[in-house]
């Protein structure tokens, strides 16, 4: 015995490894064996090479690295004995893959083995080649394989056929060489050769259209006959499976016929009979039969239309659908999805069964059924289908809920016939699976609600009811909070009751309770709380009796660590305390949100989520729009400009709303930026907040304005000093008997849109003017920036003047000229005087 | 086509792997891990098909072993179930009431049988009898070769021994 042999036999090594109790033990055993094998390799041990390789393969299966054994495979393959070659080829297929260069070294051995006298060795070589050859090897050895397609032994022919498949997949150019030999294989009697021959033809057709034409012309009839013989053949024990002779051959033939018949009427005609025969005669109580039927249905659906056959096929699918076997149902759903493109009507008939499958306990089936249902929905069946889907929502598990919710929401949106139905369905979905609903979906819901003015009362009552039961669904809470805030009065007074509604008594205090709960609940996130705060503010105006209580609730957040909440709390508190007079105007009913713009906006995929911000971008889900510095216009009713000013992304939406006609009856709801402690800072803040980066459809309210400028007691409007290079003649912008205002205009170099104006005020009366305050407003397409005035006392009779600088940015520079509305307030002997006017005599090209 | 064949035990141990599509060694380990997780956790009453990475994996459980085959989307899943059963029956015929232990200690034989059944991811022979016959013929070749070498070794050993005496 060779003193260097690795002593253990394969069996012993496996036993040793299996008896290891821990991973460390196993590693030790493996390491020892590997060492022995490595030693044997370096000694070039002949005798136990194949045993060592077998061991190496086992170790490889356990997951350890074994690349040092790759050359051993090559050596074994190169040796002359059959056992060595057998193990060598096996090792090759296991330890190597086609991407490794070592593989190339085998090419020569393979070539020799393909010409070996021992047919089993030829078989080994073909097998290895067919499993892992690379493109170069394929090209080199293709002629050999081609030759072997006509070898005397059928087992070699069948292996050669499958090997050829790999070759033509790797090197499609070679396909032509295989067409003729493949065609002759189709006339064989040996089942193995026939199956592999059919498979080769199928793959040839996929790779080369020339082959497809050839087979279609020459072989279709022969194939049909073969299938017929198969179907009618008597019992053959060797090939029998479940009472059917060679189901595999049936299936392969059907597959090839499918490819040949697709798109060709003649070929399809040829096969109609046999397809009908197979579809009707094959028994479907065993899997083998079902496999054949499945393939048959697939073929029928793909070839040219024959009415009767199609009906037959769909019926078989219908039978499959009601089969208790999960596999069959899965397979049927799969085929139905493909069938929809061909014959949607027929598939609709099986809608009920498909809906059952959506509730199935098997996840694969559920998913497939849902996809199918989605394809089946149209205007006429959307209502019952949605009802079913929502029912299955209740029964489904977490993973599936997300997918199902998304699908339901998209269906409801696409096909909803009327608004009230849409609102109902969305409410159900929100109550059931609100946490899975995406932001844009519930934004859309709010847009719809606000547009359905006759349904406001209904919506808010329904939401209130839902809110009582399903507070854990975040989005439901948000929508409810918004509606209660907006339409609280309708809720309490039962406005707009529809016949179908049940009466519900909700007191003002109940409504406030609901909002308080939503702030206080544990899993409310920032958005919900923020929305609840503004809703409370709205209610404080609608329900004055609850004002105190609301104030207390709002104040509780005064010290919140979250900036957004703290800010809102303080601001709203200010409004409640100091600005009672404007409060109602502030939180008046919102104007209708423009649906068309919203959906257009959405399609343009602007970020719509009301995200919990870190404080820099303030997202305002409802109501308070941070004004751009410009649009004081609307408040002063300056609508001289029609075109909305282009502004930053968020501002767009704002602008559209500003474009909405604000009837004078309802005083244009303005928003106020209640002053913070530091007045001077506030204008800066205002400008900063003008960038509305996030777009929420419910972020609106109409206008904006730096109301500060117009409200008393807010401190002097911040003004800016500025330079004036007289590029233009100074013009008298305003003159009355008591006051003259002169503008010195210059252009900022480099920026034609910006105009720098220096206003000089001269007192034309003999009285001194105290607390002089100049304010100006410009239309939307302009932006105005005022600097602080030089002083606020204007000496009498022109003995001094006040100078104030401002900067105007004209976004419609060149198209529209500047225009400005002014208001000057001052005191004479402690009596207030107010002068107003309009400056429209600016030079045209500013 | 069949992209790969996987035999895993209930505890997740790999008993056999055969790859007909190019997967590097690293990818193979990853695939095995993923599929083990996916398949071993499925309940008994569910269907035998799992969708994975755009492909479909058909699996069937026989006693403590899961036989998995990964196929393309447009292949016939029910047929693959038949192929798996075909393989198991041939194994059964060869080993005589095959159990997992047989496949562990004789994994190379399981591979040889698989190679007579599938090449390039396609079915090779629908007749179990033929497959068994072929494998038996090759086994006998191996036996004969072994006997020859051992008899030669014996002779040489005897000669060497007598020579050293």
């Amino acid at each position: 015995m060779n003193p260097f042999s690795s002593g253990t036999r394969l069996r012993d090594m496996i036993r040793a490894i299996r008896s290891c109790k821990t991973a460390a033990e196993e590693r030790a055993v493996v390491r020892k064996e590997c060492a022995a094998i490595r030693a044997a390799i370096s000694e070039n041990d002949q005798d136990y090479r194949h045993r060592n390789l077998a061991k190496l393969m086992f170790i490889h299966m356990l997951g350890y690295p074994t690349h040092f054994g790759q050359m051993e495979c090559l050596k074994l393959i190169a040796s002359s004995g059959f056992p060595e070659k057998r193990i060598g080829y096996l090792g090759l297929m296991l330890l190597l893959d086609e991407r490794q260069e070592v593989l190339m070294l085998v090419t020569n051995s393979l070539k020799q083995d393909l010409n070996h006298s021992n047919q089993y060795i030829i078989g080994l070589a073909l097998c290895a080649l067919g499993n892992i050859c690379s493109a170069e090897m394929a090209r080199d050895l293709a002629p050999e394989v081609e030759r072997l397609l006509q070898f005397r032994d059928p087992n070699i022919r069948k292996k050669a056929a499958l090997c050829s498949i790999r070759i033509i997949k790797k090197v499609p150019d070679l396909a032509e060489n295989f067409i003729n030999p493949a065609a002759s294989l189709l006339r064989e009697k040996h089942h193995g050769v026939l199956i592999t021959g059919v498979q080769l033809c199928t793959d040839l057709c996929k790779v080369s259209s020339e082959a497809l034409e050839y087979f279609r012309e020459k072989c279709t009839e022969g194939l049909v006959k073969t299938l017929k013989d198969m179907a009618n053949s008597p019992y053959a024990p060797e090939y029998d499976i479940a009472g059917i002779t060679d189901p595999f051959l049936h299936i392969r033939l059907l597959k090839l016929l499918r490819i040949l018949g697709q798109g060709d009427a003649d070929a399809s005609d040829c096969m109609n009979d046999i397809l009908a025969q197979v579809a009707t005669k094959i028994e479907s109580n065993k899997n083998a039969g079902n496999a054949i039927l499945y393939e048959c249905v697939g073929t029928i659906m793909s070839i040219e239309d024959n009415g009767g056959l199609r009906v037959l096929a769909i019926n078989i699918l219908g039978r499959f659908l009601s089969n208790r076997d999960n596999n069959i149902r899965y397979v049927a759903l799969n085929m139905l999805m493909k069938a929809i493109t061909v014959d949607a009507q027929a598939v609709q008939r099986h809608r009920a069964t498909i809906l059952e499958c959506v509730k199935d306990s098997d996840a694969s089936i559920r998913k497939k059924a849902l996809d199918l249902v989605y394809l089946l929905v149209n205007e006429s069946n959307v209502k019952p289908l949605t009802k079913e889907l929502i029912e299955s929502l209740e029964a489904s598990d977490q993973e599936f809920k997300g997918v199902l919710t998304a699908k339901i929401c998209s269906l409801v949106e696409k096909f909803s016939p009327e608004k009230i139905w849409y609102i109902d369905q969305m409410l159900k979905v929100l109550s059931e699976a609100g946490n899975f609903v995406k932001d844009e979906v519930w934004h859309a819901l709010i847009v719809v609600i606000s547009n359905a003015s006759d349904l406001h009362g209904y919506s808010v009552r329904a939401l209130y009811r839902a809110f009582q039961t399903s507070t854990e669904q975040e989005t439901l809470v948000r929508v409810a909070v918004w509606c209660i805030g907006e339409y609280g009065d309708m809720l309490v007074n039962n406005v707009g009751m529809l016949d179908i509604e049940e009466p519900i008594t909700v007191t003002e205090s109940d409504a406030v309770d609901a909002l308080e709960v939503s702030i206080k609940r544990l899993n409310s996130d920032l958005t919900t709380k923020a929305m609840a705060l503004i809703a409370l503010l709205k209610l404080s105006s609608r329900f004055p009796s609850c004002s105190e209580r609301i104030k207390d609730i709002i104040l509780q957040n005064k010290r919140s660590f979250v900036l957004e909440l703290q800010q809102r709390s303080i601001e709203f508190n200010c409004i409640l305390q100091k600005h009672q007079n404007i409060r109602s105007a502030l939180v008046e009913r919102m104007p209708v949100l423009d649906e068309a713009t919203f959906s257009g906006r959405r399609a343009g995929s602007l970020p719509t989520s009301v995200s919990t911000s870190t404080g820099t971008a303030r997202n305002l889900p409802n109501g308070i729009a941070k004004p751009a510095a410009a649009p004081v216009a609307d408040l002063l009713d300056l609508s001289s400009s029609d075109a909305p000013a282009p502004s930053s992304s968020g501002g767009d939406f704002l602008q559209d709303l500003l474009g909405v006609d604000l009837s004078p009856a309802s005083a244009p709801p303005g928003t106020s930026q209640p002053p913070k402690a530091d007045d001077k800072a506030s204008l800066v803040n205002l400008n900063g907040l003008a960038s509305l980066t996030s777009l929420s459809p419910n972020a609106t309210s109409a206008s904006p304005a730096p109301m500060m400028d117009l409200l008393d007691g807010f401190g002097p409007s911040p003004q800016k000093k500025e330079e004036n290079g007289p590029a233009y003649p100074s013009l008298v912008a305003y003159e009355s008997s008591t006051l003259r205002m002169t503008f010195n205009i210059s252009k900022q170099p480099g920026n034609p849109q910006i105009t720098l104006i220096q206003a000089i005020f001269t007192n034309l009366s003999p009285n001194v003017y105290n607390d002089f305050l100049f304010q100006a407003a410009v239309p939307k397409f302009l932006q105005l920036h005022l600097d602080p005035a030089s002083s606020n006392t204007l000496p009498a009779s022109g003995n001094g003047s006040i100078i104030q600088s401002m900067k105007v940015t004209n976004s419609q520079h060149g198209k529209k000229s500047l225009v400005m509305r002014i208001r000057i307030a001052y005191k004479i002997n402690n009596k207030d005087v107010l002068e107003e006017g309009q400056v429209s005599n600016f030079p045209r090209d500013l | 086509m069949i992209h790969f064949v996987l035999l895993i035990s209930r505890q997740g141990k790999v008993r056999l792997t055969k790859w007909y599509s190019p997967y590097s060694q690293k990818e193979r380990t990853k695939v095995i891990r993923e599929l083990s997780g996916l398949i071993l956790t499925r309940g008994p009453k569910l269907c035998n098909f799992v969708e994975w990475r755009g492909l479909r994996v058909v699996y069937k459980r026989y006693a403590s072993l899961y036989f998995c085959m990964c196929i393309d989307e447009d292949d016939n899943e029910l047929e693959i179930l038949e192929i798996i059963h075909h393989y198991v029956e041939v194994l059964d015929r060869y080993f005589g009431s095959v159990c997992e232990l047989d496949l562990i200690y004789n994994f190379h034989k399981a591979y040889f049988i698989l190679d007579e059944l599938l090449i390039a991811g396609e079915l090779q022979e629908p007749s179990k009898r033929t497959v068994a016959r072929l494998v038996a013929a090759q086994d006998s070749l191996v036996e004969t070769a072994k006997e020859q070498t051992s008899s030669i070794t014996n002779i040489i050993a005897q000669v060497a021994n007598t020579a050293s005496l």
Side-chain angles (χ1 to χ4, degrees), chain A residues 74 84 147 153 156 168 189 223 246 349-350 368 477 521 537 569 571 575 591 609 634 674 697 755-756 811 821 831 845:
Chain A
L74 270 63
E84 286 81 13
R147 179 181 55 82
D153 186 48
I156 298 299
I168 58 171
K189 292 287 172 237
L223 287 168
D246 206 343
R349 264 181 255 130
H350 296 284
K368 273 250 148 9
V477 173
R521 59 190 260 275
L537 186 66
S569 162
E571 289 168 11
I575 298 181
S609 60
D634 286 343
T755 310
L756 308 170
S811 59
R821 200 65 178 263
K831 262 183 24 203
D845 53 343

Side-chain angles (χ1 to χ4, degrees), chain A residues 26 31 112 131 199 207 302 314 352 389 572 677 763 808:
Chain A
E26 183 184 291
R31 214 175 307 140
Q112 287 181 354
N131 285 341
Q199 191 61 47
V207 160
S302 307
I314 301 267
L389 286 178
F572 298 169
N763 187 343
V808 182

Side-chain angles (χ1 to χ4, degrees), chain A residues 18 54 60-61 86 93 99 120 131 158-159 238 252 287 291 294-295 326-327 330 334 362 368, chain B residues 20 22 25 45 47-48 51 56 76 78-79 82 104 107 116 120 124-125 127 129-130 137 139:
Chain A
R18 276 173 61 79
H60 175 84
M61 271 210 300
R86 202 186 194 201
M93 288 191 279
R99 297 192 200 142
Y120 294 107
N131 285 341
K158 76 188 189 204
K159 288 185 170 35
E238 191 172 344
R252 299 294 144 128
N287 189 53
Y294 180 49
E295 196 65 47
N326 283 336
N327 294 339
Y330 179 92
N334 214 11
D362 186 334
K368 273 250 148 9
Chain B
Y20 298 107
Q25 297 296 335
K45 297 268 176 54
C47 72
N48 295 66
E51 313 224 342
R56 212 160 278 155
N76 187 334
L78 300 176
E79 188 199 11
E82 284 301 318
I104 296 173
F107 63 94
E116 287 297 329
Q124 203 187 137
E125 179 57 64
S127 155
R129 199 167 72 186
T130 318
D139 283 346

Side-chain angles (χ1 to χ4, degrees), chain A residues 545-563:
Chain A
S545 56
C546 297
S547 212
E548 270 309 302
R549 181 175 165 209
I550 290 179
K551 196 160 80 123
D552 287 336
I553 301 176
I554 292 182
L555 269 177
Q556 284 168 19
N557 282 293
K558 201 163 115 165
R559 296 184 203 284
S560 161
F561 283 131
V562 181
L563 178 61

